[in-house]
Amino acid sequence: MKRRVVVTGLGALTPVGNDVASTWSALLAGQSGAGPITQFDASSFPVRIACEVKGFDPLQYMDRKEAKRSDVYTQYAIAASVEAMRDAGFGDGTGFDPFESGVIMGSGIGGLKIFEAQHDVYRTLGPSKISPFFVPMFISNIAAGIVSMRFGLKGPNLATVSACSTSGHSIGEAYRTIQYGDADVMLAGGAEATITPMAIGGFANMKALSERNDDPKAASRPFDRDRDGFVAGEGAGVVVLEELQHALRRGATIHAEVRGYGATGDAYHLTATAPEGEGAQRAMRRALRDGGIAPEQVDYINAHGTSTPQGDPNEIRAIKAVFGDHARQLNVSSTKSMTGHLLGAAGGLEFIVALLATREGKVPPTINHEHPDPECDLNVTPNVAVERPVRVALSNVFGFGGHNVSLAVSGYES
């Protein structure tokens, strides 16, 4: 018999807030985190805008030596993990069995900033000058490792890497780990920090990014007729998952219950989603089946909704195929309209948003929705947040290579 899994801790570092509370407040207010790129000179680039994290000081979470030996994406992972563990009541390192507690945390790319910097060192000064810390700072599993060291978590430990589905997979696999008795507590999510010359240049040259350089806050416009690509973002989203009885025994605050997880592959194309969102359909159906959830019980979907011309209508078609007539009763929104696309961290953050919608009875909007695309004709919660009871919410994330994840979450009922 599978065990029930609840969420007892939340942590986020985003372009619209440096913790969960400020991020949630900004999303409900419809605030965009987009602006001109400040982290490097982008003046010669076709895309000069991004959703950057602002005012982050790693020394609030680690000493100077550790910060110097950590890529920014790892610093983000640590910051969100610290918040999540404190929120769960584990901030002092007690309340859990370290051997029954683990970490699944990923990144779509890993330490790209240190990679680019050290490549410059190699090209200008030669191989003898490459930092001995380069490899452990760069590899995409190191955040999971360092976070486990921070809290002494000696149970299952691994890192998912599935592009923009990364942290959706992390949470889904951590949920499975607890369900089947391999751990009682899991820290799960993802982090990304790829506002770098190579990443922005690469995404721009494949025409994935919006080029609204003169109006960055209006650039990410999911489901709008005039969308022209996503805005790159960065940050982290992390949750503490816990076996229900373990949480009840220690009197933990339960934010919500994880109800279902569906993961599929398109087996179709390098970057494009399968026609009619076929893989996304199966991911959502699997999540509903896993949780024994009828489509009519779902009230809100936090969409992948990147603001690309092809991806948005494909996701809407998938939702219609799965939910039938009930699709018209759903609120759908893409919070990437405000945060940009956090790539490997997107699933962690957006799962938290879906969870908060169930807990608070509020659905954040899709901003910049001025000219509805006729192919995206569901209620995408345009421009203004709405209040409504949300019994079950889905969080969808899809990644290059055809990775699809859907997670279902609801309020906890005994």
Side-chain angles (χ1 to χ4, degrees):
M1 182 176 176
K2 292 188 291 188
R3 306 193 301 175
R4 294 174 69 179
V5 180
V6 294
V7 186
T8 55
L10 308 174
L13 179 68
T14 80
V16 296
N18 287 5
D19 55 28
V20 171
S22 59
T23 295
W24 180 239
S25 177
L27 294 178
L28 292 178
Q31 295 175 3
S32 170
I37 290 173
T38 65
Q39 298 183 32
F40 65 93
D41 179 4
S43 58
S44 63
F45 285 62
V47 173
R48 301 183 290 279
I49 58 174
C51 284
E52 299 177 326
V53 167
K54 297 141 184 96
F56 173 68
D57 180 5
L59 300 184
Q60 291 182 345
Y61 303 94
M62 64 198 77
D63 62 30
R64 195 172 300 279
K65 182 177 180 182
E66 184 180 8
K68 188 176 180 181
R69 294 179 176 179
S70 301
D71 184 85
V72 177
Y73 100 93
T74 304
Q75 296 174 0
Y76 288 172
I78 293 172
S81 297
V82 167
E83 184 187 6
M85 290 293 273
R86 286 175 178 166
D87 185 42
F90 294 141
D92 62 358
T94 65
F96 57 88
D97 180 342
F99 296 97
E100 299 298 332
S101 306
V103 181
I104 300 181
M105 192 166 296
S107 177
I109 299 177
L112 191 59
K113 290 189 177 181
I114 190 66
F115 185 92
E116 292 182 22
Q118 287 298 304
H119 189 255
D120 287 344
V121 169
Y122 161 66
R123 293 292 300 271
T124 55
L125 301 175
S128 66
K129 298 300 182 183
I130 296 172
S131 168
F133 296 103
F134 164 59
V135 173
M137 289 175 70
F138 166 65
I139 52 180
S140 54
N141 68 307
I142 202 64
I146 288 179
V147 167
S148 73
M149 296 173 213
R150 168 62 66 96
F151 300 105
L153 305 173
K154 299 186 177 182
N157 189 291
L158 66 126
T160 53
V161 180
S162 54
C164 307
S165 304
T166 291
S167 46
H169 276 120
S170 296
I171 293 170
E173 294 304 314
Y175 162 64
R176 287 277 188 267
T177 299
I178 295 174
Q179 272 191 321
Y180 287 93
D182 288 328
D184 293 326
V185 177
M186 292 294 294
L187 198 55
E192 202 80 85
T194 54
I195 311 300
T196 72
M198 290 297 291
I200 295 297
F203 280 126
N205 288 350
M206 67 186 294
K207 300 299 181 185
L209 299 181
S210 171
E211 297 186 4
R212 287 176 182 261
N213 295 305
D214 296 332
D215 193 6
K217 293 189 182 305
S220 182
R221 41 198 320 114
F223 312 120
D224 187 89
R225 181 194 65 194
D226 297 333
R227 65 192 181 279
D228 67 335
F230 69 83
V231 176
E234 60 176 355
V238 176
V239 294
V240 174
L241 304 185
E242 192 167 353
E243 192 273 328
L244 173 60
Q245 295 305 319
H246 188 279
L248 291 175
R249 281 196 298 274
R250 68 183 187 90
T253 298
I254 296 175
H255 294 300
E257 180 170 2
V258 186
R259 293 288 305 279
Y261 166 45
T264 66
D266 282 349
Y268 172 70
H269 189 272
L270 191 66
T271 56
T273 57
E276 306 301 313
E278 185 272 340
Q281 290 183 38
R282 288 185 290 111
M284 285 187 277
R285 288 194 174 104
R286 281 179 176 232
L288 297 178
R289 184 184 65 198
D290 183 40
I293 301 164
E296 292 75 19
Q297 293 176 276
V298 177
D299 294 309
Y300 171 55
I301 297 176
N302 187 288
H304 185 60
T306 56
S307 187
T308 58
Q310 190 215 33
D312 289 2
N314 257 359
E315 185 172 7
I316 294 295
R317 293 184 194 110
I319 292 170
K320 289 179 179 177
V322 172
F323 289 91
D325 292 341
H326 183 65
R328 302 286 173 187
Q329 306 305 314
L330 294 166
N331 274 89
V332 178
S333 72
S334 172
T335 42
K336 289 185 180 76
S337 60
M338 295 169 275
T339 65
H341 192 347
L342 270 59
L343 307 179
L349 170 61
E350 291 165 15
F351 175 78
I352 291 171
V353 172
L355 180 157
L356 292 173
T358 69
R359 195 186 75 180
E360 305 294 328
K362 297 176 181 178
V363 174
T366 305
I367 69 166
N368 300 320
H369 196 68
E370 298 171 340
H371 306 103
D373 180 346
E375 291 192 272
C376 303
D377 58 349
L378 296 180
N379 178 6
V380 298
T381 321
N383 302 314
V384 178
V386 300
E387 294 192 18
R388 65 167 291 178
V390 177
R391 294 165 294 172
V392 179
L394 291 187
S395 172
N396 287 340
V397 284
F398 315 130
F400 285 171
H403 310 291
N404 308 296
V405 174
S406 188
L407 293 163
V409 61
S410 72
Y412 163 65
E413 295 182 3
S414 60

